Amino acid sequence: MGTITCSRYHDISCGHRVVGHEGKCRHLHGHNYRFHFTCQAQELDKVGRVVDFSCIKQTLCEYLEQRLDHKFIMWEKDPLAQTLRDVNTLGVVLVPFNPTAENLAKWMVEDVAPGLLAQYGVTLVECVVEETAKCKATYKL
Ligand SMILES: [Zn+2]
């Protein structure tokens, strides 16, 4: 018996920097991120779906749109965090981790998705975060 999942992606543009990076990712810069969300349910609904694709859009994609799109993602322990917040309070989003693609993927699966998806009875089982078409990170339950 196989496993059925359904997936949707969403694109946002964000700034970030990676604290402690040895190369140019330590600078303030940004990406056109693509987040891929893969959901799974205990069983298909009576129509034959894991969940309607619009539910992923209204929850996870909308979260990205509201919380991160066109903003700057910073680790709350980044020494530059307060300075950037002072010049653009609403444009800087503080997160409790260094904002690598890996940590963003894990954050979506472990922290963000459970609350948003609970009402639909589905679980985000995998998130892929692409920083570029060539570079991506995956977190899987
Ligand atoms: Zn980067």
Side-chain angles (χ1 to χ4, degrees), residues 13-16 66-73 90-93:
S13 303
C14 295
H16 83 151
Q66 299 298 327
R67 181 97 200 275
L68 298 182
D69 187 46
H70 284 71
K71 293 182 181 164
F72 201 92
I73 310 166
L90 297 177
V92 176
V93 178

Side-chain angles (χ1 to χ4, degrees), residues 16 25 29 31 131:
H16 83 151
C25 286
H29 69 282
H31 299 283
E131 287 191 349

Side-chain angles (χ1 to χ4, degrees), residues 21-131:
H21 193 278
E22 307 79 3
K24 56 189 182 182
C25 286
R26 69 178 184 273
H27 300 305
L28 307 179
H29 69 282
H31 299 283
N32 293 316
Y33 284 95
R34 175 163 287 177
F35 283 65
H36 297 262
F37 299 120
T38 297
C39 295
Q40 195 176 324
Q42 296 283 29
E43 55 187 18
L44 299 185
D45 69 14
K46 49 183 184 286
V47 180
R49 301 166 296 193
V50 172
V51 69
D52 194 80
F53 292 114
S54 70
C55 293
I56 302 177
K57 179 170 190 242
Q58 286 159 16
T59 55
L60 301 171
C61 303
E62 193 58 26
Y63 183 88
L64 293 180
E65 202 63 27
Q66 299 298 327
R67 181 97 200 275
L68 298 182
D69 187 46
H70 284 71
K71 293 182 181 164
F72 201 92
I73 310 166
M74 289 196 98
W75 185 16
E76 61 196 11
K77 294 191 173 137
D78 186 323
L80 290 182
Q82 196 53 54
T83 306
L84 287 195
R85 287 274 287 184
D86 287 346
V87 294
N88 190 351
T89 308
L90 297 177
V92 176
V93 178
L94 297 181
V95 291
F97 51 85
N98 210 11
T100 58
E102 289 85 342
N103 283 333
L104 287 167
K106 181 180 180 201
W107 176 62
M108 289 304 299
V109 171
E110 297 285 351
D111 299 318
V112 175
L116 294 175
L117 295 178
Q119 60 181 312
Y120 298 105
V122 293
T123 305
L124 180 66
V125 293
E126 181 181 300
C127 180
V128 177
V129 176
E130 291 182 28
E131 287 191 349

